């Protein structure tokens, strides 16, 4: 990079950290002070949007280092196909982006320019792009943004337009581990997953066994109650059968007595009839 290019980047970083309301006047003064070709290039620097300016404040405040580290960790998790780590890093990324956007809002308010909801949203999108994409991270970390960056519309041309001065190379992703190391690490993670799955299966089996034990104890208790009831019913049946036999015997005895009584009645009727006949015969004589 030439001296003029480095001096232009330095001037752009300082100017783009000023509140947008002060940018135009400060740019004119800086261009006049530099003079020559550098002055003309400074005079052509674009005024930043409020969102870009807020992100530049965030960079100067030193708040984006953690975001870049998270980006590297995210790439490594993607390389390892670690779903659990990706989910954890995804949650961490969202929390970090929200916190950084809030910090940018505080810095902007302290500088006299509170951020609207729409501008805050643009700041969040820019910080998220820096976390996810190495090229966006390199552009954002210059502290020379003139427009916000949206990951959904990201391309090399948009980064050139979004940065004043030189555009740096992408922040490198973590170096790939040698294939043997990567295979061993994936094998280790697969083994760890297998252990976790086996432990989960064991826990489920133990829970199933405990449930089976509980149900078996309840079934045994129920069976004992039913058998006790059957025994009681059998005893009651025996008593009922004995009572039925006694009732049958009593019925037979009553029937025999009834038969004897019936015979006695018939005989008494015949005797009565004979007595009445004899009486009637005596009266006639």
């Amino acid at each position: 990079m030439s001296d003029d290019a480095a001096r232009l980047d330095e001037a752009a970083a300082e100017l783009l950290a000023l509140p947008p309301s002060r940018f135009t006047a400060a740019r004119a003064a800086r261009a006049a002070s530099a003079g020559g070709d550098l002055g003309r290039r400074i005079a052509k620097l674009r005024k930043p949007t409020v969102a870009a300016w807020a992100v530049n404040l965030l960079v100067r405040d030193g708040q984006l280092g953690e975001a870049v580290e998270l980006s590297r960790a995210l790439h490594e998790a993607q390389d390892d196909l670690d779903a659990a780590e990706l989910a954890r890093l995804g949650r961490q990324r969202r929390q970090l982006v929200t916190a950084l956007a809030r910090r940018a809002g505080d810095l902007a308010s302290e500088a006299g320019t509170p951020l609207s909801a729409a501008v805050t949203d643009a700041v969040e999108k820019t910080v998220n792009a820096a976390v996810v994409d190495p090229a966006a991270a390199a552009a954002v970390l210059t502290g020379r943004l003139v427009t916000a960056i949206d990951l959904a519309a990201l391309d090399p041309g948009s980064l050139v337009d979004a940065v004043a001065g030189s555009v740096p190379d992408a922040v490198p992703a973590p170096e790939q581990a040698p294939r043997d190391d990567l295979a061993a690490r994936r094998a280790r993670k697969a083994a760890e997953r297998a252990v976790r799955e086996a432990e989960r299966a064991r826990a489920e089996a133990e829970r199933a066994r405990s449930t089976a034990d509980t149900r078996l104890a309840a079934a045994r208790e129920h069976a004992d109650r039913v058998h006790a009831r059957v025994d009681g019913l059998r005893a009651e049946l025996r008593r009922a059968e004995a009572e039925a036999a006694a009732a049958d015997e009593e019925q037979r005895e009553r029937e025999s007595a009834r038969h004897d009584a019936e015979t006695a009645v018939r005989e008494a009727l015949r005797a009565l009839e004979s007595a009445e006949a004899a009486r009637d015969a005596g009266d006639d004589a």
Side-chain angles (χ1 to χ4, degrees):
M1 179 184 295
S2 66
D3 289 343
D4 277 355
R7 291 169 62 190
L8 177 63
D9 287 351
E10 180 183 355
E14 293 177 2
L15 291 171
L16 292 168
L18 297 174
S21 60
R22 294 173 49 193
F23 175 81
T24 302
R27 179 185 60 188
R30 188 66 176 261
S33 174
D37 181 62
L38 177 60
R40 287 190 293 273
R41 295 174 67 184
I42 291 174
K44 292 180 180 179
L45 291 174
R46 288 180 293 155
K47 180 179 178 179
T49 64
V50 175
W53 164 71
V55 174
N56 291 337
L57 291 184
L58 198 59
V59 173
R60 293 174 73 88
D61 191 53
Q63 296 293 305
L64 286 181
E66 185 179 358
V68 173
E69 289 301 319
L70 179 61
S71 175
R72 292 173 176 169
L74 186 61
H75 279 288
E76 184 174 357
Q78 288 172 334
D79 290 339
D80 288 346
L81 302 178
D82 189 335
E85 183 68 3
L86 279 172
R88 185 187 69 80
L89 289 171
R91 290 191 298 272
Q92 185 179 350
R93 183 190 70 193
R94 290 189 292 273
Q95 294 169 355
L96 180 60
V97 168
T98 300
L100 288 172
R102 186 181 304 113
R103 175 58 181 165
D106 292 341
L107 293 172
S109 295
E110 291 171 5
T113 307
L115 303 184
S116 67
V119 172
T120 300
D121 181 65
V123 170
E124 286 191 5
K125 288 180 178 179
T126 302
V127 174
N128 183 65
V131 171
V132 174
D133 186 83
V140 169
L141 290 175
T142 63
R144 293 185 270 109
L145 289 185
V146 292
T147 63
I149 298 174
D150 187 346
L151 191 63
L154 187 63
D155 59 59
S158 64
L159 289 179
V160 171
D161 294 337
V163 179
S166 62
V167 179
D169 295 331
V171 174
E175 293 184 2
Q176 291 286 342
R179 293 189 62 84
D180 291 344
D181 290 347
L182 187 58
R185 185 167 57 194
R186 288 176 175 171
R188 184 181 66 253
K189 288 184 179 297
E192 290 172 351
R193 283 195 297 271
V195 170
R196 289 194 298 271
E197 290 173 358
E199 290 176 344
R200 184 163 52 251
R202 183 196 63 187
E204 291 176 354
E206 289 177 347
R207 285 195 297 272
R209 182 182 63 184
S210 176
T211 300
D213 288 343
T214 300
R215 292 176 176 174
L216 175 59
R220 284 173 174 169
E221 182 179 355
H222 177 67
D224 290 342
R225 288 196 305 269
V226 171
H227 282 296
R229 184 181 175 192
V230 168
D231 291 342
L233 291 172
R234 283 174 177 166
E236 185 176 350
L237 176 62
R238 287 192 295 271
R239 288 193 298 270
E241 288 175 341
E243 291 176 0
D248 289 343
E249 180 62 27
E250 182 181 6
Q251 179 182 347
R252 286 192 294 270
E253 291 175 356
R254 297 292 182 267
E255 288 176 346
S256 177
R258 173 71 169 71
H259 177 72
D260 292 345
E262 183 68 27
T263 300
V265 168
R266 287 195 299 272
E267 290 177 352
L269 286 173
R270 285 194 298 269
L272 175 62
E273 290 174 352
S274 295
E276 288 178 342
R279 184 194 62 190
D280 293 342
D283 289 342
D284 290 340

